[in-house]
Amino acid sequence: MATKPPAGDPVQDAPQVAPPQHAAAGLPAIAHTLKIAQQQMGVARTARTLLKVNQKDGFDCPGCAWPEGDKRHTAEFCENGAKAVAEEATLRRVTPDFFAAHPLADLATRSGYWLGQQGRITEPMLLERGALPEGADRYQAIPWERAFEIIAEELNALGSPDEALFYTSGRTSNEAAFLFQLFAREFGTNNLPDCSNMCHESSGSALNETIGVGKGSVSLEDLHQADLIIVAGQNPGTNHPRMLSALEKAKSAGAKIISVNPLPEAGMERFKNPQTPLGMLKGTALNDLFLQIRIGGDQALFRLLNKLVIETAGATDEAFIREHTHGYEEFAAAAKEADWDETLTATGLTRPEIERALAMILASERTIVCWAMGLTQHKHAVATIREVVNLLLLRGAIGRPGAGVCPVRGHSNVQGDRTMGIFERPAPAFLDALDREFRITSPRAHGYDVVRSIQALRDGKAKVLFAMGGNFVGATPDTEVTEAAIRNASLTVHVSTKLNRSHAVTGRRALILPTLGRTDKDVQASGKQFVTVEDSMGMVHSSRGNLTPASPHLLSEPAIVARMARAVLGAASATPWEEFEKDYAAIRDRISRVIPGFEDFNARVARPGGFQLPHAPRDERRFPTKTGKANFTAAPVEYPRVPAGRLLLQTLRSHDQYNTTIYGLDDRYRGITGGRRVVMVNPEDAAELGLADGSYTDLVSEWKDGVERCAPGFRVVHYPTARGCAAAYYPETNVLVPLDSTADTSNTPASKSVVVRFEPA
Ligand SMILES: Nc1nc2c(c(=O)[nH]1)N[C@H]1C(S)=C(S)[C@@H](COP(=O)(O)OP(=O)(O)OC[C@H]3O[C@@H](n4cnc5c(=O)[nH]c(N)nc54)[C@H](O)[C@@H]3O)O[C@H]1N2
Ligand SMILES: Nc1nc2c(c(=O)[nH]1)N[C@H]1C(S)=C(S)[C@@H](COP(=O)(O)OP(=O)(O)OC[C@H]3O[C@@H](n4cnc5c(=O)[nH]c(N)nc54)[C@H](O)[C@@H]3O)O[C@H]1N2
Ligand SMILES: [Mo]
């Protein structure tokens, strides 16, 4: 089978491998940042732009959702934040001439890396498949009015509003998200799938049920005050680099850190803080204990730890359990059953390692557990996160300083989008408030999440996909199934800054609507606008771009929604869409009347640094669950069983990518350069499977539907991952993740546990 990148793609994927590194950031990070930034933006724009990232009068970094501290350094950016900015502020342009030279058939052969490197899209474009002779289909520029007419034509021709899907990726501002969900509900559907469905949905499901609020319960200050921080299933050195400063600060105040991960991630080993001279030289060792767990073993680990805590005299916070929790007895009975041998099998850890972790937990008065995709993307993800909550409840470690749950979010406003009502299963109270404010009747039936949206397209139950940002085709699982489903659509629309796979695999008609990014100046009829975002810790603040937009034809996301709503809903809508487009303060006024916690929004967000949203468990130890208490839960312990001759593959991020946006072909900390088609395998497993380092293999995923999904041509890299496990990059491996391999309850694709077989070339 082919080992080559897609035909016609000049980018060569030829990975080179060196030993992994043991420290993150430092000088190489700054050098690499400036190189990428200057390639995209030139020297002057690099300086002007990077100085405004995350400053109180600047724009919110489009990188990740990690919060900004109160005292900001002049260059409050990190390597990967700077790359995200450079990617958006690039001087390269994708004009109508580009599309004339690259028909759809050509775009479809290009890698995501190549597509993204072409630059910012400058004009609205339309493609009608089959309108031109075979192979000649291409996007052509159209006026904005025509684009909205087409959307109206297609949406209004549907048999039911539920045949339309309105997807959101997590960069969308609060203002745009609020308008987008309002439009979808006035149109008549709750089909509002979002990237969260593939990301922290499992965290939201688990936290809502157990503590009553689907968000983290700690602030940055809490992290600084914690005396034990457990980082499970997360790689902050690459994906949340500014978190390393917080860990360093906690550490310098005496905190201990445990990391739970199948991979030894460089950022957790040693952090060389680029903001301090000593940090640059020596750095700080972060991990006190590294638990190299087998993929999917976390629920078993936490269950055993919980049993041991319960069995240690005086180790549980009895007063807290009595006053604030529900279900302790049932949980304690279930925890009693936890078994050492089974836990050692599930986790691949040793008894002394788990005993050390226990001793550190027992010695801690203020424990925080942080996690990300390593916990959320498994079949038993929700049960795993509930088990983490059980530990914190046993220790009374919620709702007091320095302690709590910390799901570290991905996209910079993914949490805010959810707060604004981007959710396919909205709470009735939210819809009631929306209906009162706008005198509408929102639909009550639940809509489709991401996986169900793909199934609906596949089955002909959905016909229009409108995506507010993101890369629906590239980010979702089961690439071949998903691409076929998308081609079934009558219309696909993408509001985008840059090209990606979703523009190359389309419905019968396809629109690209080019939009402003975070770094761009946004001027409307009432003057210069700002937007707002919510970070991972519930802080809401403003973001204003300062760059001249990539082209005079770009519209902001709120303007696109407002104009689409007028075209689609016409006189049937009494909502003042035109006013909203003119002045975003008018949108914020409405948000303040619909969404609790946003009272007096315009005034409060004007304060430098913004404001914090209320969080009942954190603020008042109040748990708005069905029982009115924090719930212990006792799901049966699960862990993946892998047949002989197979490994469990996790699909993860390299250091040079932002989800499906590929910045470069290097994964510096893991020692891999010049290519992405690599599979990391433990040397002992590799020896058993006959996989020599440097040899090539196809990856075949085995699933109960009997379909063999294949990703060809991966270079084997012997790597110190846990036994029985393998790792390869997303999105190249999405083809291996079966559409119906999802987490119980949250329906999140189980992209961190794919059973694979190797077929050496
Ligand atoms: N530069 C950059 N920043 C980003 C992103 C990006 O792509 N690039 N993406 C953003 C987004 S949307 C998100 S959601 C976050 C993602 O942030 P992360 O969750 O850190 O991203 P992943 O690369 O998916 O890494 C998952 C980590 O979990 C570990 N892991 C895998 N399986 C298991 C398991 O079963 N148990 C345990 N304990 N660990 C496991 C992996 O080894 C890896 O260290 O980052 C955000 N920030
Ligand atoms: N196998 C596997 N699959 C995964 C994951 C995994 O770990 N493994 N992770 C999952 C996770 S955590 C997530 S969050 C999803 C990500 O899913 P998405 O959020 O859909 O994907 P992104 O790659 O972040 O989207 C990138 C595109 O967003 C557009 N864009 C960038 N900035 C803006 C903007 O300001 N406005 C607009 N309108 N568009 C913009 C650009 O066109 C760019 O190409 O992927 C999921 N898929
Ligand atoms: Mo994410």
Side-chain angles (χ1 to χ4, degrees):
M1 276 195 211
T3 311
K4 299 195 193 86
D9 192 336
V11 177
Q12 286 302 318
D13 199 293
Q16 300 293 308
V17 179
Q21 301 188 5
H22 301 285
L27 267 180
I30 293 189
H32 187 63
T33 306
L34 290 176
K35 188 173 132 213
I36 289 203
Q38 289 176 11
Q39 277 167 1
Q40 296 281 353
M41 306 193 274
V43 178
R45 195 168 163 98
T46 295
R48 220 172 343 129
T49 315
L50 294 186
L51 287 175
K52 282 285 183 189
V53 189
N54 289 344
Q55 295 304 302
K56 287 179 181 168
D57 64 341
F59 58 88
D60 181 62
C61 178
C64 71
W66 189 256
E68 285 83 43
D70 220 32
K71 287 193 208 73
R72 305 197 183 178
H73 299 274
T74 325
E76 180 73 12
F77 63 86
C78 63
E79 176 185 355
N80 279 342
K83 286 192 242 170
V85 169
E87 191 74 19
E88 181 175 300
T90 180
L91 294 169
R92 301 176 190 163
R93 297 290 177 265
V94 170
T95 62
D97 288 345
F98 169 90
F99 290 103
H102 297 280
L104 186 65
D106 175 67
L107 297 180
T109 63
R110 303 291 179 164
S111 70
Y113 179 41
W114 188 89
L115 290 170
Q117 289 298 307
Q118 304 311 305
R120 290 285 296 270
I121 306 165
T122 59
E123 288 185 45
M125 307 296 301
L126 167 70
L127 177 136
E128 308 210 47
R129 254 175 35 213
L132 294 171
E134 179 83 33
D137 288 345
R138 66 193 66 221
Y139 283 98
Q140 288 173 313
I142 51 161
W144 278 103
E145 296 68 42
R146 180 68 193 129
F148 294 122
E149 266 171 35
I150 292 173
I151 296 171
E153 241 167 69
E154 295 276 352
L155 285 178
N156 289 325
L158 294 175
S160 146
D162 290 328
E163 291 174 10
L165 308 165
F166 298 100
Y167 175 74
T168 310
S169 164
R171 273 195 197 176
T172 297
S173 65
N174 289 333
E175 288 76 2
F178 185 77
L179 290 191
F180 193 45
Q181 61 81 33
L182 174 63
F183 163 71
R185 293 183 168 123
E186 279 198 34
F187 177 68
T189 185
N190 282 317
N191 287 341
L192 286 155
D194 72 341
C195 67
S196 222
N197 296 146
M198 301 181 271
C199 185
H200 268 291
E201 195 71 62
S202 304
S203 308
S205 299
L207 293 176
N208 262 317
E209 186 187 344
T210 53
I211 65 167
V213 179
K215 300 180 182 181
S217 75
V218 299
S219 66
L220 203 49
E221 202 37 49
D222 289 317
L223 237 99
H224 298 154
Q225 293 174 15
D227 65 10
L228 175 65
I229 302 171
I230 302 179
V231 180
Q234 194 202 343
N235 177 19
T238 285
N239 297 313
H240 305 92
R242 284 178 300 118
M243 177 173 166
L244 298 184
S245 316
L247 294 178
E248 183 188 41
K249 192 159 175 190
K251 201 82 212 214
S252 67
K256 299 272 188 252
I257 296 176
I258 302 179
S259 82
V260 187
N261 202 310
L263 296 174
E265 303 285 26
M268 293 305 300
E269 294 184 75
R270 184 167 287 276
F271 170 48
K272 295 194 168 173
N273 191 338
Q275 317 278 9
T276 64
L278 193 66
M280 287 291 268
L281 266 175
K282 271 182 63 211
T284 310
L286 292 181
N287 275 343
D288 292 280
L289 176 63
F290 169 42
L291 297 178
Q292 186 162 34
I293 197 163
R294 289 188 61 167
I295 292 175
D298 305 81
Q299 190 200 4
L301 171 66
F302 280 95
R303 177 63 60 86
L304 179 69
L305 287 168
N306 286 336
K307 167 193 164 107
L308 299 172
V309 167
I310 291 173
E311 287 173 355
T312 306
T316 62
D317 184 338
E318 286 173 23
F320 175 81
I321 294 174
R322 204 172 42 242
E323 280 168 45
H324 296 289
T325 71
H326 175 267
Y328 173 75
E329 297 301 330
E330 295 88 317
F331 173 66
K336 227 171 121 190
E337 304 298 312
D339 173 69
W340 269 106
D341 287 341
E342 189 176 25
T343 309
L344 299 184
T345 308
T347 60
L349 298 171
T350 63
R351 191 167 173 136
E353 285 173 325
I354 296 180
E355 282 169 347
R356 248 194 95 195
L358 176 70
M360 288 168 75
I361 290 168
L362 294 176
S364 160
E365 282 167 14
R366 297 176 303 280
T367 306
I368 289 177
V369 185
C370 303
W371 71 87
M373 298 305 101
L375 295 200
T376 65
Q377 299 175 332
H378 294 284
K379 174 172 183 297
H380 57 312
V382 176
T384 300
I385 297 163
R386 293 195 320 203
E387 203 57 39
V388 168
V389 173
N390 286 336
L391 172 66
L392 295 170
L393 295 182
L394 286 175
R395 303 281 297 155
I398 259 180
R400 57 183 169 78
V405 284
C406 183
V408 184
R409 304 277 160 176
H411 268 301
S412 50
N413 197 40
V414 62
Q415 186 160 316
D417 291 344
R418 198 42 83 75
T419 308
M420 291 298 120
I422 301 290
F423 192 26
E424 75 283 356
R425 291 173 285 135
F430 174 85
L431 295 179
D432 292 344
L434 196 68
D435 289 2
R436 263 197 313 276
E437 178 64 25
F438 292 96
R439 299 170 191 283
I440 58 173
T441 311
S442 299
R444 263 30 189 194
H446 288 174
Y448 298 127
D449 60 14
V450 164
V451 166
R452 293 194 179 94
S453 291
I454 296 166
Q455 289 161 340
L457 285 165
R458 179 194 64 193
D459 301 340
K461 291 183 189 149
K463 302 204 171 79
V464 173
L465 169 69
F466 184 105
M468 183 55 79
N471 179 0
F472 190 90
V473 172
T476 53
D478 224 349
T479 311
E480 286 179 23
V481 174
T482 295
E483 293 193 350
I486 291 284
R487 291 195 174 98
N488 270 344
S490 57
L491 173 70
T492 48
V493 187
H494 288 90
V495 178
S496 307
T497 51
K498 314 259 312 242
L499 279 183
N500 61 47
R501 184 77 187 160
S502 297
H503 307 110
V505 177
T506 72
R508 194 177 50 76
R509 293 212 268 190
L511 286 165
I512 303 177
L513 307 182
T515 192
L516 299 176
R518 283 281 169 78
T519 51
D520 297 320
K521 210 180 291 164
D522 184 351
V523 182
Q524 303 294 344
S526 73
K528 205 176 159 208
Q529 306 295 311
F530 66 87
V531 293
T532 61
V533 293
E534 172 185 345
D535 68 30
S536 202
M537 295 177 177
M539 290 293 301
V540 177
H541 62 86
S542 61
S543 171
R544 53 194 99 219
N546 62 336
L547 296 179
T548 306
S551 116
H553 304 292
L554 305 189
L555 287 184
S556 73
E557 291 181 352
I560 290 174
V561 182
R563 293 188 192 192
M564 167 168 72
R566 287 168 59 207
V568 174
L569 305 171
S573 175
T575 302
W577 298 104
E578 261 183 285
E579 301 306 310
F580 291 160
E581 176 177 342
K582 271 189 207 141
D583 183 359
Y584 302 168
I587 310 175
R588 286 186 290 272
D589 275 339
R590 300 303 188 108
I591 293 173
S592 71
R593 292 210 287 269
V594 172
I595 303 178
F598 284 84
E599 297 75 17
D600 218 4
F601 191 5
N602 274 308
R604 285 199 295 158
V605 83
R607 281 181 224 147
F611 61 95
Q612 188 169 41
L613 290 174
H615 187 290
R618 180 195 64 212
D619 304 337
E620 25 174 338
R621 279 199 159 177
R622 189 167 59 75
F623 299 93
T625 61
K626 283 192 191 120
T627 61
K629 307 253 178 183
N631 292 316
F632 280 101
T633 51
V637 171
E638 274 184 64
Y639 57 95
R641 320 277 162 136
V642 182
R646 276 71 178 156
L647 297 178
L648 198 60
L649 175 82
Q650 60 153 321
T651 63
L652 80 180
R653 293 154 172 81
S654 84
H655 195 62
D656 266 3
Q657 75 183 86
Y658 193 91
N659 298 338
T660 68
T661 299
I662 311 301
Y663 304 134
L665 300 178
D666 301 345
D667 193 3
R668 202 172 66 241
Y669 297 154
R670 299 196 183 108
I672 293 158
T673 50
R676 294 180 44 86
R677 293 185 85 84
V678 294
V679 58
M680 292 167 251
V681 182
N682 180 293
E684 290 171 50
D685 288 323
E688 280 177 18
L689 296 168
L691 297 168
D693 188 276
S695 67
Y696 278 78
T697 180
D698 294 348
L699 305 177
V700 181
S701 109
E702 297 180 347
W703 182 242
K704 59 189 175 203
D705 60 6
V707 177
E708 301 225 314
R709 295 165 172 84
C710 179
F714 281 70
R715 183 201 189 278
V716 174
V717 179
H718 288 188
Y719 200 88
T721 182
R723 286 299 305 271
C725 303
Y729 303 130
Y730 126 80
E732 287 81 352
T733 46
N734 287 35
V735 65
L736 299 172
V737 184
L739 189 58
D740 54 353
S741 169
T742 61
D744 299 334
T745 311
S746 67
N747 209 27
T748 293
S751 2
K752 294 288 187 280
S753 48
V754 187
V755 174
V756 290
R757 184 176 84 221
F758 296 82
E759 296 200 340

